[in-house]
Amino acid sequence: MPRVFFITGTSTGFGNHLVQEVLDRGDIAVATARKPENLSFKNTTDKNYLAVKLDVTKKADIDSAFKAAIDKFQRVDVVVNNAGYGLSGVFEELTEQQYRTQMEVNFFGLMEVTKKSLEVMREQKPPGGVIQQVTSIGGQRGVPMFSIYCASKWAVEGFTEALSKEIKLEWGIKLTCIEPGGFRTDWAGRSMTFPEKRHPAYDHIDAKANMTKRHGTQAGDPKKGAKAMYEFAIMKDPPLRVVIGTDAYKAIMGKVKEYGELYPKYEKLSNSTDVDGYQAPN
């Protein structure tokens, strides 16, 4: 039976390519966007495609989008939380509204879509499904000029890992954090937001100039990234975390090495703080 994919943020980038990949593989795509009337894909029919309005910061949109998907296709097998955007600038240049909006879209919106996904997947017959959280290699390491963006993605990572330990095995629901590196999407182009004013103390960092220079030179091909995301979605036992992109792979292996050297260095002091006579439970 064809799988039903529910994908957020399908106007551009990974989401857009993933919808086409789903259709090309013979599965069903529910493509969501704030302006679904602007979406266009090849080989769509009434039986394999549905475009739905969805602003992930509006719970009513989330509920109605899932209802539309269930009404038309009776179930949802894969949810891809792809909606989000980049906010680049040194921390002291950013306004409170900018970092609150970043968290509303990248984290709180994702949480609400995840909550609805769990309800749908748990109650459908048979139960089960896959929820992919599109985070970032910036969800595993701090990147200069992306403090709030990284904060939003680290939050998704921690939330998803904790959630994965709460779900009953019999529900058959799997979660995966997809951690991309740099890809040639619109993320670093028209989708990127920057500070309204420069801070004089940070004359050594120009986020807008840096990102403009980088845009279009990244290693990653978004179409290939979408293919990888599809492959992870259809795995029988998908991983909780996985990077996509050669730069992301190199970065995460460097992080693993860094952790492996850091924590043992302070092992004695770290383990010196227990109550005298304390015995760890079995």
Side-chain angles (χ1 to χ4, degrees), residues 42-254:
K42 298 176 182 177
N43 304 317
T44 61
T45 70
D46 187 57
K47 294 183 178 179
N48 72 358
Y49 175 74
L50 176 65
V52 184
K53 181 182 183 299
L54 174 57
D55 179 338
V56 298
T57 66
K58 298 178 179 177
K59 190 175 184 304
D61 276 14
I62 295 171
D63 291 340
S64 63
F66 273 95
K67 183 179 186 303
I70 296 299
D71 287 348
K72 187 172 181 63
F73 301 118
Q74 288 72 60
R75 64 180 293 112
V76 173
D77 298 292
V78 180
V79 170
V80 182
N81 265 313
N82 174 69
Y85 72 97
L87 172 63
S88 180
V90 297
F91 174 64
E92 286 193 86
E93 291 178 345
L94 303 174
T95 65
E96 179 181 354
Q97 186 59 55
Q98 282 181 314
Y99 46 77
R100 287 187 180 278
T101 301
Q102 177 84 117
M103 296 300 291
E104 284 291 341
V105 176
N106 287 13
F107 181 52
F108 292 111
L110 175 144
M111 285 178 64
E112 291 297 333
V113 173
T114 300
K115 179 178 282 189
K116 189 65 179 180
S117 302
L118 292 170
E119 175 189 324
V120 168
M121 291 178 173
R122 186 176 59 249
E123 295 179 358
Q124 63 191 3
K125 304 299 181 186
V130 173
I131 303 172
Q132 284 189 347
Q133 318 285 42
V134 182
T135 66
S136 168
I137 187 59
Q140 288 283 1
R141 65 171 187 160
V143 181
M145 299 180 290
F146 289 97
S147 57
I148 306 304
Y149 178 80
C150 287
S152 72
K153 297 302 187 178
W154 280 61
V156 172
E157 294 270 348
F159 159 69
T160 304
E161 180 174 325
L163 177 61
S164 72
K165 301 177 187 300
E166 297 176 356
I167 295 171
K168 288 183 178 180
L169 290 176
E170 55 262 38
W171 295 348
I173 301 173
K174 307 289 186 179
L175 296 108
T176 298
C177 288
I178 303 288
E179 302 161 348
F183 279 77
R184 298 186 187 186
T185 66
D186 283 336
W187 181 82
R190 67 180 183 87
S191 297
M192 183 69 68
T193 298
F194 297 96
E196 298 170 0
K197 295 180 181 179
R198 295 291 308 280
H199 193 297
Y202 294 90
D203 56 359
H204 60 298
I205 298 177
D206 187 332
K208 191 169 186 178
N210 287 338
M211 294 312 299
T212 299
K213 183 178 180 180
R214 185 185 180 201
H215 181 50
T217 68
Q218 300 95 330
D221 179 336
K223 188 173 182 179
K224 291 181 179 180
K227 287 181 180 292
M229 290 166 64
Y230 179 89
E231 292 296 337
F232 285 116
I234 65 173
M235 285 182 180
K236 183 179 180 181
D237 189 20
L240 176 62
R241 287 187 173 88
V242 67
V243 295
I244 55 173
T246 55
D247 57 342
Y249 185 82
K250 180 179 179 181
I252 198 64
M253 296 311 292

